[in-house]
Amino acid sequence: QQPVQSPQAVILREGEDAVINCSSSKALYSVHWYRQKHGEAPVFLMILLKGGEQKGHEKISASFNEKKQQSSLYLTASQLSYSGTYFCGTDARTSYGKLTFGQGTILTVHP
Amino acid sequence: NAGVTQTPKFRVLKTGQSMTLLCAQDMNHEYMYWYRQDPGMGLRLIHYSVGEGTTAKGEVPDGYNVSRLKKQNFLLGLESAAPSQTSVYFCASRASRELVYGYTFGSGTRLTVV
């Protein structure tokens, strides 16, 4: 079953913060986060493993709550380059590494 | 280092025609996947492979076939194209599910079936 992302869209001004959430009804082994620019392929941002720590990538970080099967992506002091669609991908233990993606969250950063 | 290469990048087919999409990776990855992306629906898994000579169905396999005769190549075939198969197709590869690596995606194939 597809994980649910919220919100569906976010509009920010440069320097503002945002949080994108991803919830799954399945027990998860890991959660991935990807960013896709318009007309391009998704690009891997980070992976959160079961039992792992919060990860960070520049001013983008994420957490994974195993009890709730939820992950959150935190974007701080947003930049114009952060604009794009963010997808979470969930990996259940028996899934041979295949990911089930959420429907995406469109992030728009204005000057 | 090319990563994951998809060909063609664009294609227009008439209903009933057939075609093959090619995905090639040069990273010696075991796992390869084909996804389709439609507006508002995210990426949905069509077929995947966990090694040379293996294939398995994903979430939306109907109307598609795949083959992985060589480790570096993963082919997606449409035997009789339908308008519902108009989509953007992405191939992805991954080293191993046990490692902390994500997917590497190809640049995509935009397919229109008229």
Side-chain angles (χ1 to χ4, degrees):
Chain A
Q1 191 167 354
Q2 188 178 33
V4 177
Q5 288 185 232
S6 62
Q8 292 186 339
V10 183
I11 299 175
L12 301 173
R13 294 212 174 270
E14 271 187 299
E16 292 182 338
D17 302 339
V19 180
I20 300 172
N21 300 303
C22 175
S23 296
S24 174
S25 59
K26 291 185 175 182
L28 301 177
Y29 174 72
S30 68
V31 178
H32 296 217
W33 286 97
Y34 294 79
R35 177 170 61 205
Q36 185 179 30
K37 301 279 189 178
H38 183 70
E40 299 180 6
V43 174
F44 173 67
L45 293 177
M46 66 188 75
I47 181 172
L48 287 300
L49 298 176
K50 182 178 179 180
E53 302 173 351
Q54 181 167 335
K55 300 288 288 290
H57 176 74
E58 297 177 345
K59 293 182 181 178
I60 301 174
S61 62
S63 63
F64 179 21
N65 185 323
E66 296 170 34
K67 285 186 178 180
K68 295 184 177 180
Q69 302 303 322
Q70 292 178 346
S71 179
S72 295
L73 185 71
Y74 307 95
L75 300 100
T76 58
S78 60
Q79 306 169 14
L80 295 176
S81 62
Y82 287 3
S83 292
T85 302
Y86 289 78
F87 293 98
C88 67
T90 56
D91 180 359
R93 171 52 93 167
T94 59
S95 64
Y96 296 102
K98 54 184 168 70
L99 299 181
T100 302
F101 287 92
Q103 79 279 18
T105 295
I106 301 171
L107 180 74
T108 305
V109 182
H110 291 295
Chain B
N1 189 350
V4 179
T5 303
Q6 287 184 236
T7 54
K9 294 191 183 305
F10 303 93
R11 185 71 184 270
V12 178
L13 283 181
K14 293 183 178 179
T15 298
Q17 286 185 321
S18 63
M19 76 165 295
T20 300
L21 282 68
L22 172 63
C23 176
Q25 53 95 2
D26 61 2
M27 298 172 286
N28 202 36
H29 285 175
E30 290 292 335
Y31 299 135
M32 297 186 74
Y33 311 87
W34 276 106
Y35 285 85
R36 60 176 289 172
Q37 185 174 35
D38 302 295
M41 301 188 72
L43 295 129
R44 292 182 294 168
L45 183 65
I46 305 171
H47 286 280
Y48 65 99
S49 169
V50 298
E52 181 178 315
T54 74
T55 63
K57 294 180 180 180
E59 179 188 358
V60 289
D62 293 344
Y64 306 94
N65 56 75
V66 288
S67 64
R68 187 140 178 231
L69 300 179
K70 294 183 178 181
K71 185 177 182 178
Q72 63 268 34
N73 295 336
F74 195 27
L75 278 62
L76 177 70
L78 288 74
E79 291 187 347
S80 181
S84 61
Q85 294 178 304
T86 293
S87 187
V88 180
Y89 292 86
F90 286 102
C91 175
S93 70
R94 187 179 186 187
S96 166
R97 69 183 300 275
E98 298 300 333
L99 301 178
V100 293
Y101 298 122
Y103 282 4
T104 300
F105 281 92
S107 58
T109 296
R110 186 173 295 275
L111 176 66
T112 303
V113 183
V114 298

